[in-house]
Amino acid sequence: MNKPQAIIFDMDGTLFQTETLLLPAYHRLFDRLREEGLFEGPTPPEEYILSSLGMLLEAIWQRVMPDASEEARLRADALLLEEELAGLKQGGSSLYPEVEGVLHQLHQQGVKLFVASNGLEPYVKGVAEAHRIHELFDGLYSAGGHRTSSKVDLVRILLKEHGITSAWMVGDRSSDVEAGKENDLTVIGCTYAGFGGEEELKGSDFYINHFRELLSLYERSAELS
C-alpha cells in the first residue's frame, strides 16, 4: 500500500448523502415538467434516479425517462440543478458521518485532497461550500466544468495539472474504479452508500464500510512507507 500524495474523492455516495438533497429536488422537477407540458404521467420511481448516480446527466435521463423528448431532458438538467442549489441554501442535506472530521485530519497531515465528479460544476462546488468543506480541497473537478466525457479523462487532467504521481481514488461506483485503474491509482471502494449492486466496486484494492476507515488506511500506509 503506497502512501499517497493526494486522495481523489467522488462526491455523490462517497462524501455526500445525495438522497438527502436529490429526492426532494427530483419530485419538484417533475412537478415543474408537468406544469410546463414537457412530461405526462407519474414521477418515475426514485430507484431510477438513485441507481443512476455516478453517471453523466445525459445517461441518467435516458434511464429515468427514456421516452421523453430531448427538450424535456435538457429542461430536466436545468431544473434539477436549480432545485438542488435551492435545496442547499435551505439546508437539510447531509455529508456521511465523520466526513468533515476525517477530511480535516488528512488535510492537516499534508495530504492533497480533490473531488472528481461526473456532476455539474455549480452542483459540486455548491455541495462543498454549503457543507463548509471547500477550503480543504486543492481542487474540485467536475465533468461539467471540464467538459470531459468520462471520469477517466477527468482524473487524468487533475493528475497532470497538479503534478500528482501517487494518489488514491475513493468512490462508490464502477466509474470511480475505472478512473482509478486507468490512471494507475490505488482504488478505495466505498460500500456504505448502497446505490449500486455488488459488481459496482469489483476491482477495488480496498473496501471501506464507513468513511472513518479511510483514515486508518492512510495511517497504515504512512507506517509502511
Side-chain angles (χ1 to χ4, degrees), residues 9 11 19 72 80 93 149 177 206 214-215 221:
F9 298 92
M11 178 65 84
E19 68 275 19
L80 181 60
S93 62
S149 59
V177 179
F206 300 93
L214 181 66
L215 189 59
S221 74

Side-chain angles (χ1 to χ4, degrees), residues 3-221:
K3 179 183 176 182
Q5 293 173 281
I7 301 179
I8 304 167
F9 298 92
D10 175 44
M11 178 65 84
D12 293 324
T14 301
L15 301 176
F16 183 54
Q17 291 191 47
T18 315
E19 68 275 19
T20 62
L21 176 69
L22 173 62
L23 294 182
Y26 179 72
H27 288 283
R28 289 195 297 268
L29 91 83
F30 274 98
D31 288 342
R32 294 176 66 180
L33 285 177
R34 281 187 287 264
E35 289 172 2
E36 296 176 12
L38 293 172
F39 189 84
E40 295 181 354
T43 299
E46 293 175 348
E47 290 75 14
Y48 287 14
I49 188 77
L50 291 175
S51 65
S52 302
L53 291 175
M55 297 180 177
L56 295 171
L57 280 171
E58 181 180 357
I60 288 176
W61 298 127
Q62 288 175 354
R63 174 180 287 190
V64 171
M65 44 181 186
D67 299 324
S69 66
E70 184 66 18
E71 180 186 5
R73 292 176 185 172
L74 290 173
R75 184 62 176 147
D77 278 351
L79 289 177
L80 181 60
L81 178 61
E82 184 179 318
E83 292 291 350
E84 286 182 325
L85 294 180
L88 287 170
K89 290 181 180 179
Q90 293 167 6
S93 62
S94 305
L95 300 174
Y96 283 101
E98 300 189 48
V99 163
E100 184 176 0
V102 169
L103 292 178
H104 271 285
Q105 291 184 64
L106 291 169
H107 180 71
Q108 289 171 355
Q109 294 187 55
V111 186
K112 293 181 180 295
L113 305 178
F114 297 91
V115 166
S117 169
N118 278 334
L120 295 172
E121 183 174 18
Y123 169 78
V124 174
K125 290 184 175 180
V127 170
E129 290 171 1
H131 291 280
R132 300 178 183 178
I133 57 173
H134 59 290
E135 294 182 352
L136 299 173
F137 292 99
D138 287 75
L140 299 170
Y141 281 67
S142 62
H146 286 78
R147 300 182 183 278
T148 54
S149 59
S150 75
K151 190 170 284 190
V152 172
D153 294 335
L154 185 64
V155 170
R156 183 175 293 124
I157 292 169
L158 184 162
L159 295 170
K160 183 177 181 180
E161 289 185 350
H162 292 270
I164 302 297
T165 58
S166 172
W168 291 358
M169 181 73 219
V170 182
D172 71 309
R173 303 309 299 261
S174 58
S175 58
D176 301 309
V177 179
E178 180 186 24
K181 289 302 180 182
E182 290 295 320
N183 286 289
D184 299 319
L185 308 181
T186 296
V187 176
I188 313 297
C190 303
T191 65
Y192 45 81
F195 293 139
E198 293 181 2
E199 293 296 307
E200 278 289 324
L201 293 171
K202 187 176 181 180
S204 298
D205 298 293
F206 300 93
Y207 298 88
I208 57 175
N209 300 312
H210 191 290
F211 194 77
R212 65 171 175 268
E213 295 173 18
L214 181 66
L215 189 59
S216 299
L217 282 177
Y218 176 76
E219 291 171 345
R220 192 191 316 169
S221 74

